[in-house]
Amino acid sequence: MTTTRTMAATLRHFSRLRSKNSELLVLDGGTGEELFRRGVPDDRQIWSATAVVNANYHVILKDVHKSFINAGSQAITTNSYGVVPGVGFSVDDIAKYVATAGRLAREAVTESVIHDGQSALVLGSLPPLLESYRPDKVMNHIEGVQVYSVFVKALTPFVDCFLAETISSVEEASQAVEAVGLANESQIPMLVSFTLNSAGLIRSGESAVDGVPRIIEFAKEKNVQCA
């Protein structure tokens, strides 16, 4: 469960990262591909979500999380990236399986060795809801905020920070940020990760130089600590 202590650890990481450009936060690797390598079926529709939906693979998923921690990751990400309406999950299924992903990630951290006096952080994945890398396939704002709010509520008991990842537009990011602001009573901070095209622009064609400050300012308006 997220506690005052783990929240303080998260904010210390944020402060450290903001202190100078050379500071790093070591994240985990490709959870999906590692799951497939360890025998989880490669379902190209729901992808790595198979390891959450099918309880037979929960131990393997936890072992993957632990392997990243043991390799030096300072943060692991919940395996909830594939649990989205775009591949057919209902709102009820999203609530159920995203919570399962959060619980398994937290258990993996609890059962792992602490490095340098600090446990790894658990990042709660807030993925593209319809399709990755497709800024033309983003829910309308109200619907997107509603679905992201389901993610936030399901993940809140287990995570130290939310991670809106592989985001393709400022609009898509704003939906995740607003959901965190609306449903996040414990004020868990968040990170936003944009995916860029070959020209170095956000995939929507927006400039990252302009888009990042816009999202940070929007997060402030929504009372969300965002980086």
Side-chain angles (χ1 to χ4, degrees):
M1 302 288 283
T2 301
T3 64
T4 302
R5 180 187 61 77
T6 58
M7 181 67 68
T10 308
L11 295 178
R12 281 198 298 273
H13 276 296
F14 269 46
S15 178
R16 176 177 60 79
L17 292 169
R18 288 168 173 155
S19 66
K20 52 186 177 180
N21 292 337
S22 59
E23 289 290 337
L24 301 173
L25 179 66
V26 181
L27 304 182
D28 49 2
T31 300
E33 295 303 325
E34 186 63 18
L35 287 167
F36 301 150
R37 193 183 71 82
R38 298 187 186 206
V40 175
D42 186 351
D43 183 328
R44 284 291 138 173
Q45 180 175 0
I46 66 171
W47 192 50
S48 61
T50 300
V52 176
V53 172
N54 190 328
N56 292 329
Y57 302 118
H58 286 182
V59 171
I60 295 177
L61 174 55
K62 285 173 61 174
D63 285 344
V64 169
H65 285 318
K66 291 177 186 178
S67 70
F68 287 129
I69 295 170
N70 292 336
S73 293
Q74 295 171 299
I76 59 170
T77 307
T78 61
N79 187 46
S80 45
Y81 189 93
V83 186
V84 292
V87 296
F89 284 98
S90 68
V91 169
D92 288 342
D93 285 340
I94 291 170
K96 174 182 177 181
Y97 293 125
V98 169
T100 299
R103 174 179 59 80
L104 293 171
R106 175 55 62 190
E107 289 176 359
V109 168
T110 301
E111 296 167 11
S112 295
V113 176
I114 296 176
H115 296 289
D116 299 324
Q118 272 193 336
S119 298
L121 301 178
V122 175
L123 307 182
S125 176
L126 304 177
L129 299 177
L130 297 181
E131 190 170 336
S132 299
Y133 314 120
R134 294 292 300 271
D136 58 321
K137 291 191 174 183
V138 174
M139 284 186 164
N140 71 56
H141 191 83
I142 294 175
E143 290 178 347
V145 171
Q146 289 173 340
V147 177
Y148 277 126
S149 294
V150 175
F151 274 81
V152 172
K153 182 177 180 181
L155 290 169
T156 290
F158 308 106
V159 304
D160 302 300
C161 180
F162 294 105
L163 172 62
E165 56 175 330
T166 322
I167 299 299
S168 294
S169 69
V170 171
E171 167 58 28
E172 191 171 40
S174 71
Q175 294 176 14
V177 169
E178 184 166 337
V180 171
L182 288 172
N184 182 17
E185 295 179 0
S186 58
Q187 289 300 296
I188 297 171
M190 75 179 296
L191 300 169
V192 174
S193 169
F194 285 107
T195 174
L196 307 181
N197 63 23
S198 58
L201 300 173
I202 300 170
R203 288 183 183 267
S204 57
E206 298 164 289
S207 165
V209 173
D210 295 332
V212 170
R214 284 169 58 195
I215 282 299
I216 291 176
E217 187 60 32
F218 182 74
K220 289 179 182 177
E221 293 174 6
K222 299 301 179 181
N223 198 29
V224 175
Q225 298 190 66
C226 180

